[in-house]
Structures are given as structure tokens and as C-alpha cells.
């Protein structure tokens, strides 16, 4: 049964009561292999996406840059709430991001979550990136609700250790380094694929 | 013109009662001191025990020893009257509060908006019940007639002059607003109803009752029009509730708080404004009050929303001593723009602009918390960027710092080797174990002219945990790496 229905669902010919909005409300990730496996065909708009990475410098921003580059052509700013390092303008411009759209909010640990929630809820931002270190389920839920009410894309970059923690995010993607690949831990509106998306396809 | 009169027969008592949650306890208001203290108003529970206005306080205490006696506060009644005028202002732009315990409003101009007098009257009564005021309402073509009719016949509505004469004619002389001595002398003359007075020849009647009374009769009939002083709403809101007891618990503050916010909301609706910033002060027996300042994303006036916000803030606040009074102050009251959505607008209701959001972030996180970045033409990584503040000329905050950079980027300059997306503001020794060198060395040598001389060889490095780092060594040396950035 699943084998018959799945192609119909994927091509959008079969209408499902749940999660139908997803297909329209997604932002292509810029990586064809990843877009194919995500239910909406990209990062869900108006929701939180979580990226889990084991250490700095394993491609966590490379994964986001194409989407951010698309968003930076719009009128609304992309807000980085308390980034761990300084974005190097040369690399971001090389990635296609218009720096005029980039805004950095400096905040402490606790205030950062507040700021992220405000930005998500306000609907004034194209995307909000945050790096919560200590976030409990209630906080994640607040952020997810804020993203929904503000209809803003939220990216949450967190260490791999929290993969076991329950999360309200619509999409959870874990970056693995050996071999380099992306494992989709959760995607609302579909079952996460069992196979990891390899990095080689991402690079292409 | 059609005038509505709302009279508040128990204004002083209602003002006291609505600040308390214990409405069933017998309560009287008294005036005067010592043995000359007299009851001037009694609530339903007190009346049930036989307490009446006009009794001496001693007699009242004898009838019911546990009666709650409160001194009549004329200033508080005035404030309450002001508040009601502010409330009425939302139904009419011509509100007169010169007569005691009474409001007069011109309502004909508001009929189209509210759907006629019956609908408007129902709305007025609903509001007053919710606010907790006993009231009598009447409508007539002139304000003085409305005033007299409200006292005599609650709910009476006269549309035109002809009906007005009939309605006034049936009024007893003692209810006609003539002063007591005049009314009594007319009674003695056998003139019981106004109809009889109107039938008398003017000159003779005038001789008997005097010019003031004649003027009053003419005003009732609408023959003489006098100008009224209209109410102008104040530009600030400042209201205070004194609690009947000192309390340290948040729960017991909620009732007076809700009352205060409902009044605030009524005031805001009256001037078609909203509040974005207001201060709640919790007053203590001694010492300065605990103040909670509340700022909102957009001007709001919904009482439930305001209450929910204040309640959330109150739960987090710590009151250092029992509270004896509450005060709400709002100085800036911006115009209220109702939440409105375009049919095809996909932005949600509570949407604010980036400027408003940035204001909000700055308010909490500090003046320079939110900023942009710009490329700076320099090879030294530490100097290759600039913090981009708010550009006042454009006011958008998204300034044009990168125009130059982008133009150069595309105008045939030699592209730089890859740069990391993350930059460490200050390089640190690379702790991770280096497995491979992916690229480099790239010599960056610059700055001998400005004192920040730099000679470094940069490498792209892969660490044992597959991180890609951008690290350097002093030019030409073989020492340990210094970490400058991450290819994230």
C-alpha cells in the first residue's frame, strides 16, 4: 500500500488532510538531495529547524548559507542571535548573502532566548538563527510557537549531545562527520528517511 | 440634538464598593466627625439590617455592631466622576459633567454608529453594569429635560418636542428640579404637576415663583438654550486604588488589579487610544513603592490582554513588603491602530517592523545590542570587517555598507582564497589535533604602516574530529598553529 501511495504523496497528487501546507510553505535548502527527502521540499517556513553538529567547523553554516542567500534578497533582515563567533563578511558575501540583511544581536545566555523569541514572534525577520546552549523543552516549545505565530524561519544550532532530548522543532538534522553526511532525525509531515544524505551530494 | 442623561444615584458608594471584593459585608459611608458623624450611604447588606442614610453613625453601629464604616471621600468621588466622563467620551464627543453625580451626552450624532438609541442605551447599561455603577438613563431633546426625566423615570426616551411636553407635564412638581422651597410653595398652591404650571400665564407665574424658577421651566421646555461646559479627556492616565487591607500575596492583588486595568481600558477606548508603556506602582506602608514598568510591542487596550501581561509580570516580580495601594500611571498614550489584516496579507497580526523590534531589543539588551556587519577592505582578518550601526539617514538600520565591497567583488579583482564563515575576533592556540593540511600556506603580510604589522602564513586545516579550521603560523616558522576561524 505504502509503495503505491508514496509516489502519489510525493508528487502532490494525493491530498492529505494533515500537513498539506508544508509543500507550499518550504524554502529550498539549496541542496537537491536534501530537498528530496524533506517533506516540504526544503526548510519549513513558519517553523523551527534544528541542526545538531558535533563540533565547530563541520559544515553547519554551509548547510544554511544557500537558504540564507535566498532570504537575504528579501526586505526583512536575517538575525543572528548571540552567534558563537563573528561572521566573516568575505565568506558570507562569497556564499551569496547580502550583508545589508544581516543583523547580529549580542545577548547573554538567558537574554538570547528572549531575543530569539521576540524576533521570531515579531514577523519582522526573514530568518532567526540562534545557538541555545541550555534550553529545556518548555523553551524550545516557546520558540517553536513564536516561529509559528510570527511565520518566521527559525534555525537552532545545537550540539549533537542533545539529540536524545525531545524537541518541538519541525525538522531536526544531525551532521555526522565520519563519513560526512546528514542524518534527518525528525521531519514533520513525513517519516525521516533511514538513509543519511551524504555530504558529497551536498557539495555538488 | 438628542441628549442622554446618565445619573449615578450611589456614585460615592459604588466607587467604594467596586474596589472591594467583599460586597456582601454591610458597609456604610459617613460624613462628619465624632458624635456628629452621619451615615450618607449604605450598601444593600447594610440596608437589610435597617441602616439608612441620615442616621448617626452611633445609631448605625448600635443597629449592626460589625458594620464597615468608611469616611466619605469627596475627592475620590470627583475622580470617579472624571473617570465616568472619560468612559462616556467614547460614545459622544459632547459630554458634560458639570452637574453632580450626572453625565449629559449628546447622542444623536452617535446613532448611526451605534445603531439607534435602544442599541446605544443597551451598550451604555452593559458597560455600567460591568464597571459596577448603579445608574439611571433617560433621553430627551434638551439636556435639562433629560436630567429631570432621568431622576423621575429611568429608561424614558423622548424623541421630539411634542412628546416632551406630555412627558414633562405628568411630572410631579417636586421631581422637576425646582428648588425645594419653590416646589413646596407650588404644592401648597395646589399645583401638583408641571402640566398645571405650563398652563398658567407666564407673567403671573413669574411673579410668584421668581426668575430662576421661570428660567428653569423654560430650559426644560427647550425655550431657552444654555451653553454647557464640555468635558475634555486628559492626556494621561493616573489612577490609584487603596486596598482595604495590607497584603503580601499576589493572589489577593489580582482583583483590584483587574479593576484598575478595566478602568484603564475603558479610558483608552474612550479616547480611541492604546497604551504601549505604563507603570504599575505597588505602594507599601513605608518606603518607596515597588514599580513595574510594562512595555508592549504595540499599543493595546484589551483589558484581558493587559491583565494577562501584568499578571505574568507580577508573578515574576518580588514585592518586598505588604502592599497597601495600587497605582497605574500612563504618560504616553499613542494612537491605537486596531489589529487589521489584509485579505491577502500573509504577515501575522502582531507583526511589527524591524525598527520597532530593534527598539525593543535595545531597550532590554543595551544600546548597541543589535547591529549589522560590513566588509572593510583590508587583508588582515581582524580588520576586514566593521560593525555597522544604525544609519540615521536611511533609518532602516540595514545600511548600504557593502555596495562598495560587492562592486569590487565582481569587477575583476583577483578572488581571494576561501575564507571561513566564522572568525575568531582574537586568535587562540589551536588545541585540536591536526590530521591534514588542506590548503596553504597563504601569506598575509600587511599593516607595517599603521602599527599593527602582521606577517602570517594561513592554512586550511582538517582536525581529528573532521573540523575545518583556518589557522596560521608566524611567517616562515614551524611552530604551533593559531586558530583564526572555522569553515562552518
Amino acid at each position: 500500500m505504502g509503495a503505491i501511495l508514496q509516489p502519489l504523496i510525493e508528487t502532490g497528487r494525493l491530498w492529505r488532510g494533515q500537513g498539506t501546507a508544508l509543500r507550499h510553505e518550504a524554502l529550498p535548502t539549496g541542496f537537491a538531495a536534501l530537498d528530496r527527502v524533506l517533506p516540504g521540499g526544503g526548510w519549513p517556513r513558519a517553523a523551527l529547524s534544528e541542526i545538531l553538529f558535533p563540533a565547530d567547523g563541520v559544515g553547519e553554516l554551509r548547510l544554511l548559507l544557500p537558504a540564507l542567500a535566498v532570504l537575504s534578497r528579501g526586505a526583512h533582515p536575517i538575525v543572528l542571535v548571540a552567534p558563537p563567533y563573528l561572521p566573516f563578511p568575505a565568506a558570507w558575501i562569497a556564499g551569496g548573502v547580502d550583508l545589508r540583511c544581516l543583523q547580529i544581536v549580542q545577548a547573554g545566555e538567558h537574554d538570547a532566548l528572549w531575543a530569539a523569541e521576540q524576533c521570531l514572534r515579531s514577523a519582522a525577520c526573514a530568518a532567526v538563527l540562534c545557538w541555545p546552549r541550555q534550553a529545556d523543552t518548555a523553551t524550545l516549545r516557546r520558540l517553536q510557537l513564536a516561529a509559528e505565530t510570527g511565520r518566521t524561519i527559525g534555525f537552532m544550532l545545537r550540539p549533537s549531545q542533545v539529540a536524545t532530548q525531545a524537541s518541538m522543532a519541525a525538522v531536526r538534522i544531525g551532521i555526522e562527520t565520519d563519513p560526512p553526511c546528514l542524518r534527518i532525525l525528525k521531519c514533520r509531515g513525513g517519516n525521516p528517511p533511514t538513509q543519511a544524505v551524504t555530504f558529497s551530494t551536498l557539495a555538488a | 440634538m438628542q441628549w442622554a442623561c446618565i445619573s449615578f444615584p450611589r456614585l460615592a458608594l459604588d466607587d467604594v464598593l467596586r474596589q472591594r471584593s467583599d460586597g456582601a459585608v454591610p458597609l456604610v459611608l459617613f460624613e462628619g466627625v465624632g458624635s456628629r458623624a452621619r451615615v450618607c450611604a449604605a450598601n444593600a447588606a447594610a440596608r437589610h439590617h435597617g441602616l439608612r442614610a441620615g442616621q448617626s453613625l452611633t445609631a448605625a453601629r448600635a443597629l449592626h455592631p460589625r458594620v464597615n464604616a468608611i469616611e466619605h471621600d469627596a475627592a475620590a468621588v470627583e475622580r470617579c466622576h472624571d473617570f465616568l466622563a472619560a468612559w462616556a467620551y467614547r460614545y459622544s464627543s459632547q459630554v458634560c459633567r458639570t452637574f453632580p453625580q450626572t453625565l449629559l451626552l449628546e447622542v444623536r450624532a452617535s446613532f448611526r454608529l451605534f445603531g439607534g438609541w435602544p442599541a446605544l442605551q443597551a451598550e451604555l447599561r452593559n458597560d455600567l453594569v460591568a464597571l459596577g455603577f448603579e445608574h439611571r438613563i433617560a433621553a430627551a431633546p434638551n439636556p435639562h429635560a433629560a436630567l429631570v426625566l432621568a431622576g423621575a423615570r429611568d429608561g424614558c426616551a423622548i424623541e421630539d418636542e411634542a412628546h416632551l411636553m406630555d412627558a414633562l407635564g405628568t411630572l410631579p412638581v417636586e421631581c422637576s428640579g425646582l428648588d425645594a422651597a419653590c416646589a413646596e410653595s407650588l404644592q401648597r398652591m395646589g399645583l401638583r404637576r408641571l402640566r398645571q404650571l405650563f398652563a398658567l400665564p407666564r407673567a403671573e407665574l413669574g411673579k410668584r415663583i421668581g426668575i430662576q424658577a421661570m428660567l428653569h421651566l423654560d430650559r426644560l421646555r427647550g425655550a431657552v438654550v444654555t451653553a454647557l461646559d464640555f468635558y475634555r479627556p486628559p492626556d494621561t492616565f493616573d489612577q490609584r486604588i487603596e486596598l482595604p487591607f495590607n497584603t503580601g500575596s499576589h493572589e489577593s492583588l489580582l482583583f483590584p488589579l483587574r479593576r484598575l486595568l478595566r478602568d484603564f481600558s475603558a479610558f483608552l477606548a474612550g479616547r480611541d487610544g492604546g497604551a504601549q508603556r505604563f507603570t504599575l506602582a505597588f505602594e507599601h506602608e513605608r518606603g518607596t513603592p515597588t514599580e513595574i514598568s510594562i512595555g508592549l510591542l504595540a499599543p493595546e487596550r484589551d483589558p484581558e490582554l493587559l491583565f494577562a501581561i501584568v499578571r505574568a509580570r507580577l508573578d515574576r516580580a518580588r514585592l518586598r513588603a505588604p502592599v497597601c495601594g495600587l497605582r497605574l500611571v500612563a504618560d504616553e498614550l499613542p494612537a491605537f491602530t486596531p489589529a487589521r489584516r489584509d485579505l491577502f496579507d500573509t504577515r501575522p497580526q502582531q507583526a511589527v517592523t524591524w525598527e520597532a523590534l530593534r527598539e525593543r531589543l535595545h531597550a532590554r539588551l543595551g544600546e548597541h545590542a543589535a547591529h549589522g556587519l560590513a566588509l572593510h577592505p583590508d587583508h588582515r582578518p581582524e580588520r576586514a570587517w566593521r560593525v555597522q550601526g544604525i544609519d540615521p539617514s536611511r533609518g532602516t538600520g540595514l545600511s548600504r555598507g557593502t555596495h562598495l565591497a560587492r562592486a569590487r567583488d565582481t569587477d575583476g579583482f583577483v578572488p581571494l582564497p576561501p575564507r571561513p564563515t566564522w572568525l575568531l575576533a582574537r586568535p587562540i592556540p589551536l588545541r585540536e589535533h591536526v590530521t591534514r593540511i588542506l590548503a596553504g600556506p597563504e601569506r598575509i603580510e600587511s599593516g607595517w604602516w599603521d602599527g599593527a604589522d602582521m606577517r602570517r602564513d594561513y592554512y586550511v586545516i582538517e582536525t581529528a574530529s573532521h573540523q575545518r579550521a583556518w589557522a596560521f603560523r608566524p611567517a616562515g616558522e614551524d611552530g604551533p598553529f593559531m586558530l583564526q576561524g572555522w569553515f562552518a
Side-chain angles (χ1 to χ4, degrees):
Chain A
M1 196 65 171
I4 305 167
L5 288 180
Q6 203 55 42
L8 292 175
I9 290 168
E10 277 174 7
T11 51
R13 290 174 180 216
L14 191 70
W15 184 85
R16 282 201 298 182
Q18 290 177 326
T20 47
L22 278 173
R23 190 159 283 276
H24 305 287
E25 303 242 334
L27 174 76
T29 61
F31 301 103
L34 188 57
D35 285 348
R36 268 198 297 279
V37 292
L38 287 175
W43 302 114
R45 288 182 192 267
L48 211 56
S49 301
E50 201 174 333
I51 289 143
L52 306 169
F53 59 103
D56 292 317
V58 294
E60 65 272 18
L61 283 181
R62 245 176 300 151
L63 182 60
L64 297 179
L65 275 184
L68 296 184
V70 171
L71 289 173
S72 74
R73 282 172 219 140
H76 298 284
I78 295 165
V79 181
L80 311 185
V81 180
Y85 306 105
L86 192 80
F88 196 178
W92 288 65
I93 290 172
V97 178
D98 188 342
L99 274 194
R100 284 172 292 173
C101 270
L102 206 63
Q103 289 288 318
I104 296 163
V105 175
Q106 305 288 0
E109 175 101 358
H110 184 72
D111 283 336
L113 290 170
W114 172 85
E117 192 191 340
Q118 290 300 323
C119 294
L120 285 169
R121 198 181 290 280
S122 69
C125 311
V128 178
L129 279 75
C130 59
W131 287 262
R133 287 167 200 89
Q134 303 287 324
D136 52 8
T137 315
T139 314
L140 299 181
R141 189 177 165 73
R142 281 183 74 95
L143 289 177
Q144 164 66 18
L145 284 176
E148 274 175 30
T149 41
R151 306 184 66 76
T152 306
I153 305 187
F155 292 112
M156 217 163 33
L157 292 98
R158 307 178 70 200
S160 294
Q161 291 89 313
V162 299
T164 49
Q165 188 191 342
S167 169
M168 297 298 296
V171 169
R172 300 185 90 192
I173 293 180
I175 298 179
E176 291 178 7
T177 51
D178 198 18
C181 62
L182 299 173
R183 193 166 293 281
I184 296 168
L185 304 171
K186 173 188 175 184
C187 51
R188 193 186 287 171
N191 290 328
T194 44
Q195 292 209 325
V197 181
T198 53
F199 239 134
S200 55
T201 52
L202 275 175
Chain B
M1 301 270 256
Q2 180 79 351
W3 289 85
C5 172
I6 310 173
S7 84
F8 305 95
R10 295 181 200 278
L11 186 60
L13 188 63
D14 286 339
D15 183 36
V16 172
L17 283 179
R18 63 202 290 278
Q19 292 169 22
R20 320 175 136 248
S21 46
D22 52 349
V25 177
L27 182 144
V28 292
L29 296 185
F30 68 92
E31 276 177 314
V33 283
S35 57
R36 294 175 60 186
R38 299 216 157 260
V39 173
C40 58
N43 73 347
R47 288 199 299 277
H48 177 73
H49 286 95
L51 278 67
R52 297 276 178 275
Q55 284 169 336
S56 75
L57 188 60
T58 331
R61 284 233 163 89
L63 281 168
H64 194 285
R66 285 192 309 283
V67 67
N68 203 343
I70 293 175
E71 192 167 0
H72 175 84
D73 180 357
V77 175
E78 277 306 298
R79 278 201 298 279
C80 187
H81 200 177
D82 271 334
F83 159 70
L84 283 166
W87 158 79
Y89 193 71
R90 84 170 92 158
Y91 292 104
S92 167
S93 59
Q94 300 185 4
V95 174
C96 169
R97 54 141 295 175
T98 22
F99 299 94
Q101 307 197 355
T102 301
L103 289 176
L104 287 167
L105 30 156
E106 203 290 310
V107 287
R108 170 133 303 161
S110 314
F111 279 176
R112 255 215 10 223
L113 179 60
F114 291 97
W117 173 242
L120 177 56
Q121 189 187 4
E123 209 152 317
L124 292 172
R125 284 183 195 272
N126 279 344
D127 276 6
L128 287 171
V129 168
L131 290 170
F133 285 100
E134 204 174 309
H135 53 275
R136 303 167 68 88
I137 299 182
N142 75 68
H144 296 274
L147 189 66
V148 166
L149 285 168
R153 285 166 51 193
D154 186 20
C156 153
I158 311 291
E159 286 286 329
D160 49 41
E161 301 287 338
H163 287 99
L164 177 65
M165 292 312 286
D166 289 346
L168 288 175
T170 56
L171 283 183
V173 167
E174 67 267 25
C175 298
S176 65
L178 292 167
D179 65 78
C182 177
E184 202 183 332
S185 74
L186 285 171
Q187 286 262 1
R188 291 211 181 117
M189 288 177 227
L191 298 165
R192 301 250 138 79
R193 305 266 161 191
L194 280 183
R195 190 188 311 118
Q196 293 166 292
L197 250 66
F198 291 149
L200 291 176
R202 263 185 83 80
E204 280 71 12
L205 185 65
K207 255 184 221 160
R208 298 237 173 180
I209 62 173
I211 185 145
Q212 284 304 323
M214 279 310 287
L215 189 61
H216 180 70
L217 289 179
D218 284 343
R219 279 178 184 157
L220 284 186
R221 282 180 287 192
V224 172
V225 178
T226 37
L228 296 172
D229 277 338
F230 289 128
Y231 165 79
R232 293 188 62 81
D235 288 330
T236 57
F237 183 87
D238 184 346
Q239 195 168 314
R240 188 173 170 276
I241 287 186
E242 192 154 335
L243 301 182
F245 43 81
N246 287 1
T247 176
S249 93
H250 289 182
E251 283 301 311
S252 53
L253 285 173
L254 293 182
F255 179 82
L257 200 56
R258 188 183 280 270
R259 178 61 85 192
L260 196 58
L261 287 169
R262 212 171 278 171
D263 287 1
F264 186 39
S265 165
F267 168 81
L268 292 173
R271 71 195 300 280
D272 193 24
Q276 190 155 16
R277 219 174 269 271
F278 58 92
T279 308
L280 266 172
F282 297 89
E283 297 173 355
H284 309 297
E285 283 284 287
R286 55 177 71 91
T288 51
T290 309
E291 289 196 348
I292 298 183
S293 290
I294 289 159
L296 306 171
L297 274 176
E300 291 291 352
R301 68 171 179 227
D302 177 31
E304 292 307 314
L305 179 80
L306 292 176
F307 181 68
I309 292 170
V310 168
R311 191 176 178 172
R313 284 295 304 273
L314 184 60
D315 284 343
R316 274 190 284 146
R318 187 158 298 166
L319 300 170
R320 54 175 175 76
V323 178
C324 63
L326 282 177
R327 185 169 170 205
L328 198 162
V329 182
D331 290 329
E332 29 177 321
L333 301 168
F336 178 72
T337 38
R340 138 190 78 153
R341 285 182 75 179
D342 191 63
L343 186 59
F344 303 106
D345 188 8
T346 53
R347 305 304 288 182
Q349 280 190 10
Q350 74 290 353
V352 295
T353 58
W354 164 246
E355 287 72 43
L357 175 64
R358 197 184 50 211
E359 284 306 309
R360 202 167 154 66
L361 293 172
H362 283 178
R364 171 147 168 186
L365 303 174
E367 203 47 48
H368 305 289
H371 60 81
L373 268 190
L375 190 70
H376 188 251
D378 197 315
H379 284 287
R380 291 165 289 183
E382 286 94 337
R383 293 176 180 235
W385 53 275
R386 284 278 184 277
V387 163
Q388 195 79 29
I390 304 154
D391 186 351
S393 61
R394 283 190 59 200
T396 62
L398 305 175
S399 47
R400 44 187 191 81
T402 56
H403 277 330
L404 188 75
R406 299 210 91 190
R408 285 199 180 176
D409 232 14
T410 50
D411 279 359
F413 268 67
V414 182
L416 289 170
R419 290 281 178 260
T421 39
W422 282 144
L423 187 72
L424 272 69
R426 191 173 296 164
I428 56 167
L430 181 69
R431 282 195 209 91
E432 285 79 2
H433 180 67
V434 180
T435 50
R436 275 200 294 166
I437 291 178
L438 300 172
E442 176 199 351
R443 172 79 48 99
I444 296 181
E445 184 170 357
S446 179
W448 52 267
W449 59 87
D450 63 3
D453 193 6
M454 192 184 97
R455 295 183 71 235
R456 293 170 182 172
D457 286 338
Y458 277 87
Y459 298 86
V460 180
I461 283 170
E462 191 176 83
T463 69
S465 47
H466 302 277
Q467 297 163 277
R468 276 164 78 188
W470 199 47
F472 68 85
R473 288 167 167 162
E477 291 180 27
D478 253 2
F481 286 105
M482 294 291 280
L483 180 66
Q484 181 83 69
W486 292 111
F487 286 89

